[in-house]
Amino acid sequence: EMPFHCSVGLVEVNAAAADVEWLLSAADAACYLAKEERRNRVRAYSDANRALAPRRYDLDWVTSAQTAIAEPRLLMYAQKIVPLHATETGLRYEVLVRMRGMDGVLHPPGEFLMAMERFGQATTVDGHVLDAVLGEFDRHPGHLQRLASCHVNVSAQSIADPAFLALVTERLDRRPAVASKLCFELTETAMIGNLADARRFIDAVRERGCRVALDDFGSGLSSFAYLKDLPVDIVKIDSAFIRDIGKGGSDLAMVRSMAQVARALDKETIAEGMELAETPPRLARIGIDFAQGYALHEPCPLEELIRQAGAGGEAWPIMQA
């Protein structure tokens, strides 16, 4: 028989508690500490406990993000995905999130998304983002017609959550014309850690006409082996390989081999993390299909990008070799 283990987190319910959500999150923080120390532990939440300091910091971000979603102050931004060859046309971008604080300061996802993941709240963000994007499509049918692909990120927690998949399929079944315009981005580490769940999610959305991108490709130890078996349409090459590609050497050789393998498997490639303007022509010559990064486009509000594209602005330049 399998041994049974239990980790318990407690928090005192008193007048100092902000609300029920704070109490649940504080108990979760104490439970995480109990798990980290070892199994079969009970830990009570206390402001004086130094070991809980990092968790309290995360807890503050979780509370802020939950409030931002409700108000709403979790904003949709977008970054263009630029074609490197003239044969590729249409509007492409990745949806990114920003959180506007109560003081008006705009916070990047790196400040709050990891905290949401640690406290099991990533699926809340993913669901909010998907509904926000679909809402924009409903309000701008003309934009949807011009759109080739809108990339939306999905966390490892959402991949493993049957309720999230049910939400996605329900939204897609209500909007059959939208499915072909959506590309779900799943990180390599999330897929490898949940292969069965990832396969279930991928099959369900692709069956409805969506595309799937393997994000951060190259960050894992068995990238090429998994690429052969995963039914993804697009490979996003990790920025670590793109950053110094202008110097040639091993990074250039690795990216070239990734492009060749992807092409042999009939998958498109996107080089992410583009920081130097002279890099795209080099990537085009070795067979990369698209590029994305601050050198090509600084993320802007999704509504602004939709407005620019609708006005006929040059929103989608082609960076040819």
Side-chain angles (χ1 to χ4, degrees):
E1 294 183 2
M2 294 293 291
F4 177 78
H5 300 285
C6 182
S7 299
V8 178
L10 303 175
V11 61
E12 181 182 354
V13 181
N14 54 37
D19 51 32
V20 174
E21 287 185 351
W22 186 93
L23 286 168
L24 290 172
S25 298
D28 205 10
C31 189
Y32 269 99
L33 182 60
K35 290 178 182 178
E36 289 172 356
E37 289 182 342
R38 61 177 154 184
R39 291 168 176 167
N40 297 326
R41 288 281 201 160
V42 178
R43 280 289 169 260
Y45 184 90
S46 169
D47 287 333
N49 189 336
R50 291 186 179 181
L52 278 167
R55 297 300 179 191
R56 287 204 306 272
Y57 179 77
D58 286 345
L59 180 56
D60 289 342
W61 279 117
V62 169
T63 303
S64 297
Q66 289 172 335
T67 305
I69 290 172
E71 289 196 344
R73 287 179 286 102
L74 196 66
L75 311 177
M76 300 302 109
Y77 271 55
Q79 186 175 47
K80 301 174 189 176
I81 298 172
V82 179
L84 300 180
H85 305 278
T87 54
E88 304 290 348
T89 59
L91 314 177
R92 287 177 171 83
Y93 55 80
E94 178 183 352
V95 174
L96 308 168
V97 292
R98 301 286 186 268
M99 184 179 74
R100 189 175 299 283
M102 295 289 289
D103 56 0
V105 175
L106 205 61
H107 299 280
E111 294 188 6
F112 60 90
L113 277 186
M114 288 189 67
M116 294 292 279
E117 289 177 0
R118 290 191 188 102
F119 281 86
Q121 297 294 311
T123 299
T124 302
V125 176
D126 292 344
H128 177 78
V129 170
L130 179 61
D131 281 339
V133 169
L134 294 177
E136 290 292 345
F137 291 167
D138 291 342
R139 287 188 289 274
H140 301 92
H143 173 73
L144 189 63
Q145 291 178 352
R146 290 186 294 272
L147 181 64
S149 188
C150 167
H151 290 230
V152 176
N153 291 281
V154 180
S155 68
Q157 290 173 13
S158 295
I159 292 172
D161 187 351
F164 180 78
L165 179 56
L167 180 147
V168 171
T169 54
E170 187 272 336
R171 301 294 194 268
L172 293 175
D173 290 343
R174 281 170 44 196
R175 301 173 176 84
V178 169
S180 63
K181 308 291 186 174
L182 282 176
C183 176
F184 290 100
E185 291 197 10
L186 287 67
T187 64
E188 182 180 351
T189 51
M191 285 201 198
I192 293 172
N194 304 276
L195 271 179
D197 293 328
R199 193 63 189 260
R200 191 177 303 112
F201 182 91
I202 292 170
D203 289 344
V205 298
R206 291 184 85 234
E207 181 182 334
R208 288 164 172 79
C210 299
R211 305 181 79 199
V212 175
L214 179 57
D215 199 9
D216 298 335
F217 182 73
S219 59
L221 298 177
S222 305
S223 300
F224 287 95
Y226 284 106
L227 183 61
K228 182 179 67 173
D229 298 323
L230 285 170
V232 299
D233 306 285
I234 300 169
V235 175
K236 295 193 76 175
I237 299 173
D238 190 84
S239 58
F241 296 97
I242 306 301
R243 196 172 298 117
D244 297 322
I245 200 171
K247 300 176 183 178
S250 60
D251 284 339
L252 180 60
M254 285 291 293
V255 173
R256 181 185 285 111
S257 67
M258 291 177 190
Q260 291 171 344
V261 170
R263 190 171 299 279
L265 296 174
D266 198 28
K267 303 179 192 301
E268 293 180 337
T269 48
I270 300 174
E272 55 183 350
M274 192 75 55
E275 296 178 356
L276 299 174
E278 63 269 20
T279 306
R282 183 185 292 263
L283 291 170
R285 286 194 293 271
I286 63 174
I288 300 297
D289 300 305
F290 301 91
Q292 179 182 356
Y294 276 75
L296 299 175
H297 178 237
E298 184 170 345
C300 67
L302 177 57
E303 288 184 358
E304 179 182 321
L305 191 58
I306 291 174
R307 187 167 56 250
Q308 289 176 359
E314 189 180 356
W316 314 97
I318 296 174
M319 306 290 297
Q320 298 185 59

